[in-house]
Amino acid sequence: MTENNKTHVILLSCGSFNPITKGHIHMFEKAREYLHKTGRFIVIGGIISPVHDSYGKPGLVPSRHRLTMCQLAVQSSDWIRVDPWECYQDTWQTTCSVLEHHRDLMKRVTGCILSNVNTPSSTPVIGQPQNQTPAPIYQNQNNMNHKPTALKLWGKVSENLGKICCVRPHIDRFTFVDENANLGTAMRYEEIELRILLLCGSDLLESFCIPGLWKDSDMEVIVGDFGIVVVPRDGADTEKIMNHSSILRKFKDNITVVKDEISHPMSIVSSTKSRLALQHGDGHVVDYLSQPVIDYILQSQLYINASG
């Protein structure tokens, strides 16, 4: 299978990230590694979207701190970025609405149509931009026939964040993509398929089975239209979990479970365990959090008591 015949993927992870742990970043890395090994996917980017302050979770520190910690956690990554859109909204946003926002945003920024798991590659995401005369922006003077791939698209979006982003008050180090902006000149691409997939742990998968916790309509969109990538924790039986939900069974083919010979303990991902380690002065906190995140927490005096 050639590169352009593979499904190009952007992994999106939603959550409190209170604080973001090494395990959260590890989930991105393991998911990308596994998807690449299948031979059917190319992961071109990852997005971390911290939840809004009004989510109301006990001990949730203000988003300005959580955004900063997330940025520090991914500062050495060339493919994962932090998006503050969710935090900047007037109120809490559903996971479904966050996915839809990023789908629509990519469409606006690239001028292309994004496909989902229920629209096959006959509707390519990266194709001829709509209502425009194509003119490549990646002009190679030595080879004008060269057409950039979606990998270059993600790189171009990241490279131009400073040009197409706006800065919001109070968090001057953070920018978000302006929904009315574009990359300037239209882009010409080979026909390739791009999807935004929700990256989550098996605990979120289990939450889909709790009656009344999720709207069925939202689950239909999340799993049916977008699709999810699950990184199991503590040897969770994902097959058993999926069998407890009619919607998960219905869209089972849209759920990719990352298979790994190593069982990763919940503690490396758990923000709760990280906060407890901080409160108790446990030296093992370095196993959970990166040093820049620890330094910021200490500097800002976060999580110093049981209330967060």
Side-chain angles (χ1 to χ4, degrees), residues 152-170:
K152 292 184 179 179
L153 166 63
W154 182 255
K156 187 66 175 178
V157 170
S158 298
E159 175 188 336
N160 285 276
L161 282 178
K163 298 179 182 178
I164 65 175
C165 296
C166 298
V167 179
R168 289 296 177 89
H170 308 303

Side-chain angles (χ1 to χ4, degrees), residues 116-132:
N116 58 34
V117 292
N118 290 329
T119 56
S121 55
S122 59
T123 306
V125 107
I126 306 297
Q128 298 297 343
Q130 303 172 84
N131 303 320
Q132 297 185 46

Side-chain angles (χ1 to χ4, degrees), residues 96-158:
C96 182
S97 66
V98 176
L99 283 163
E100 290 174 335
H101 159 75
H102 284 284
R103 177 195 60 198
D104 295 343
L105 178 58
M106 287 299 294
K107 175 182 175 181
R108 290 167 184 163
V109 170
T110 64
C112 302
I113 301 172
L114 269 77
S115 63
N116 58 34
V117 292
N118 290 329
T119 56
S121 55
S122 59
T123 306
V125 107
I126 306 297
Q128 298 297 343
Q130 303 172 84
N131 303 320
Q132 297 185 46
T133 302
I137 60 173
Y138 296 101
Q139 294 187 356
N140 184 331
Q141 299 299 327
N142 297 323
N143 182 10
M144 294 300 292
N145 293 322
H146 176 70
K147 297 180 180 179
T149 65
L151 290 169
K152 292 184 179 179
L153 166 63
W154 182 255
K156 187 66 175 178
V157 170
S158 298

Side-chain angles (χ1 to χ4, degrees), residues 10-31:
I10 294 173
L11 295 171
L12 171 66
S13 180
C14 299
S16 300
F17 301 106
N18 188 43
I20 188 169
T21 68
K22 290 181 178 179
H24 290 127
I25 307 303
H26 184 73
M27 286 176 62
F28 274 95
E29 299 291 351
K30 295 306 295 184

Side-chain angles (χ1 to χ4, degrees), residues 11-258:
L11 295 171
L12 171 66
S13 180
C14 299
S16 300
F17 301 106
N18 188 43
I20 188 169
T21 68
K22 290 181 178 179
H24 290 127
I25 307 303
H26 184 73
M27 286 176 62
F28 274 95
E29 299 291 351
K30 295 306 295 184
R32 182 174 72 159
E33 179 183 355
Y34 180 77
L35 290 174
H36 286 177
K37 283 183 178 179
T38 67
R40 298 184 292 116
F41 303 97
I42 297 178
V43 177
I44 65 169
I47 300 173
I48 293 173
S49 181
V51 75
H52 193 275
D53 287 341
S54 65
Y55 182 58
K57 191 173 183 178
L60 186 67
V61 301
S63 59
R64 63 188 178 90
H65 290 306
R66 291 182 287 114
L67 285 167
T68 300
M69 289 187 286
C70 287
Q71 186 65 30
L72 290 170
V74 302
Q75 61 184 349
S76 62
S77 175
D78 61 357
W79 69 282
I80 306 171
R81 70 176 180 86
V82 182
D83 190 282
W85 176 85
E86 190 176 349
C87 293
Y88 285 143
Q89 301 313 294
D90 292 333
T91 187
W92 170 77
Q93 302 292 307
T94 65
T95 301
C96 182
S97 66
V98 176
L99 283 163
E100 290 174 335
H101 159 75
H102 284 284
R103 177 195 60 198
D104 295 343
L105 178 58
M106 287 299 294
K107 175 182 175 181
R108 290 167 184 163
V109 170
T110 64
C112 302
I113 301 172
L114 269 77
S115 63
N116 58 34
V117 292
N118 290 329
T119 56
S121 55
S122 59
T123 306
V125 107
I126 306 297
Q128 298 297 343
Q130 303 172 84
N131 303 320
Q132 297 185 46
T133 302
I137 60 173
Y138 296 101
Q139 294 187 356
N140 184 331
Q141 299 299 327
N142 297 323
N143 182 10
M144 294 300 292
N145 293 322
H146 176 70
K147 297 180 180 179
T149 65
L151 290 169
K152 292 184 179 179
L153 166 63
W154 182 255
K156 187 66 175 178
V157 170
S158 298
E159 175 188 336
N160 285 276
L161 282 178
K163 298 179 182 178
I164 65 175
C165 296
C166 298
V167 179
R168 289 296 177 89
H170 308 303
I171 314 180
D172 55 5
R173 76 172 61 195
F174 285 94
T175 55
F176 73 106
V177 180
D178 184 349
E179 297 180 19
N180 296 315
N182 58 63
L183 293 179
T185 311
M187 291 171 281
R188 184 197 298 272
Y189 289 91
E190 299 283 359
E191 291 190 355
I192 52 180
E193 185 179 7
L194 174 63
R195 295 173 181 168
I196 296 177
L197 300 179
L198 180 66
L199 174 65
C200 65
S202 49
D203 55 331
L204 188 140
L205 195 67
E206 287 180 299
S207 74
F208 284 154
C209 304
I210 301 175
L213 185 60
W214 293 81
K215 291 182 179 180
D216 285 353
S217 57
D218 280 4
M219 288 180 60
E220 291 265 353
V221 171
I222 293 170
V223 189
D225 286 351
F226 286 92
I228 61 178
V229 179
V230 183
V231 180
R233 303 178 187 174
D234 291 335
D237 188 340
T238 53
E239 286 289 334
K240 184 177 180 180
I241 294 172
M242 287 187 282
N243 285 333
H244 278 89
S245 166
S246 59
I247 294 178
L248 294 181
R249 290 197 303 271
K250 178 181 178 181
F251 297 109
K252 188 175 180 179
D253 291 342
N254 298 345
I255 302 173
T256 300
V257 178
V258 176

